[in-house]
């Protein structure tokens, strides 16, 4: 696990560098997309690079998760958020952008089909992640199985309250979601998790420096062979080894990249 502590929007640039590098090496790369606030600087940066010629025409993308029960086209459905914040701003083919189907009549079949679609695309090359204040990744709330695959989950009330800012009121935030499992996320070849702000400091210190435990789902990333964690100073403020992470990154050989 590589921990990088940066100021402001630099994290977005660094994650975009990794995605640009991947697309130049593998134009048909498979991207895993998070929603929420954390990845927005990455999407802004990628949209700017697309204007300067970065090509997404052969790439494909899979969303991490989706609310259950929001009508198609609801502005806060993750399919719509992914389209608005990212895929409509680059030249990725709309047919290559996938998300779990939160309005499916047969939810288990829709989840199995989503896993099959990821496998058929060759697996996810680079998965963007945020982390919840309770340590969730995707919508794998505390207690999620480390080997889980895409399935329905109930949101913890803390997560519903955190996400109420995107809705008119707390009552409008769905209780259920479909999410890639922790096993699905762990199968991505590279994961980049972004976290900013003091409200993430406890979860960040728990998953980076605490024990690997289902009560903190993001802690499973300690077992990932290629996990990059991009933090601002506030999100890093509870880390015991912050100076070591800074020193390591400042002295990293340039050829290594992320
Ligand atoms: C979003 C997702 C969630 C968020 C997390 C952090 O697709 O899967 O895990 O990444 O809730 O949300 P923000 O970035 O809004 O703080």
């Amino acid at each position: 696990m590589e921990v990088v502590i940066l100021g402001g929007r630099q994290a977005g640039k660094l994650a975009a560098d990794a995605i640009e590098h991947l697309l130049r090496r593998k134009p048909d790369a498979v991207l895993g997309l998070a929603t929420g606030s954390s990845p927005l600087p990455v999407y802004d940066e990628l949209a700017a690079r697309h204007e300067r010629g970065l090509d997404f025409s052969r790439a494909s993308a899979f969303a991490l998760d989706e609310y259950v029960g929001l009508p198609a086209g609801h502005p806060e459905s993750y399919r719509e958020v992914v389209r608005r914040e990212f895929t409509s701003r680059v030249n990725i083919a709309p047919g290559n952008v996938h998300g779990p189907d939160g309005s499916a009549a047969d939810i288990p079949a829709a989840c199995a089909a989503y896993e099959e679609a990821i496998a058929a695309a060759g697996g996810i090359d680079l998965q963007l992640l945020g982390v919840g204040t309770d340590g969730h990744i995707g919508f794998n709330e505390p207690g999620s199985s480390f080997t889980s695959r895409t399935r329905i989950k109930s949101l913890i009330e803390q997560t519903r309250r955190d996400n109420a800012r995107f809705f008119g009121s707390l009552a409008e935030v769905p209780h259920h979601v479909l999410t890639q499992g922790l096993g699905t996320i762990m199968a991505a070849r590279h994961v980049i998790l972004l976290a900013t702000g003091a409200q993430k400091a406890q979860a960040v210190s728990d998953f980076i420096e605490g024990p690997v435990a289902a009560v903190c789902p993001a802690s499973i990333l300690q077992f990932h062979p290629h996990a990059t964690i991009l933090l601002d100073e506030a999100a890093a403020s509870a880390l015991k080894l912050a100076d070591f992470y800074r020193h390591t990154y400042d002295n990293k050989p340039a050829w290594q990249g992320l």
Side-chain angles (χ1 to χ4, degrees), residues 33-40 63-66 78 82 127-134 136-140 159 162-163 165-166 179 185 194-196 199-200:
L33 303 178
T35 51
S37 305
S38 305
L40 296 180
L64 260 181
D65 37 24
E66 181 57 281
Y78 282 169
V82 158
Q127 175 68 61
L128 288 174
L129 296 172
V131 63
T133 54
D134 64 355
H136 71 229
I137 48 176
F139 274 136
N140 296 281
T159 301
D162 288 346
N163 286 5
R165 69 189 192 281
F166 296 115
T179 180
I185 292 168
L194 299 102
T196 53
Q199 75 283 6
K200 298 289 174 72

Side-chain angles (χ1 to χ4, degrees), residues 10-27:
Q10 261 178 295
K13 288 203 165 51
L14 213 54
D17 285 348
I19 292 172
E20 174 163 358
H21 186 259
L22 170 66
L23 285 169
R24 294 200 187 282
R25 180 172 62 77
K26 186 179 179 189

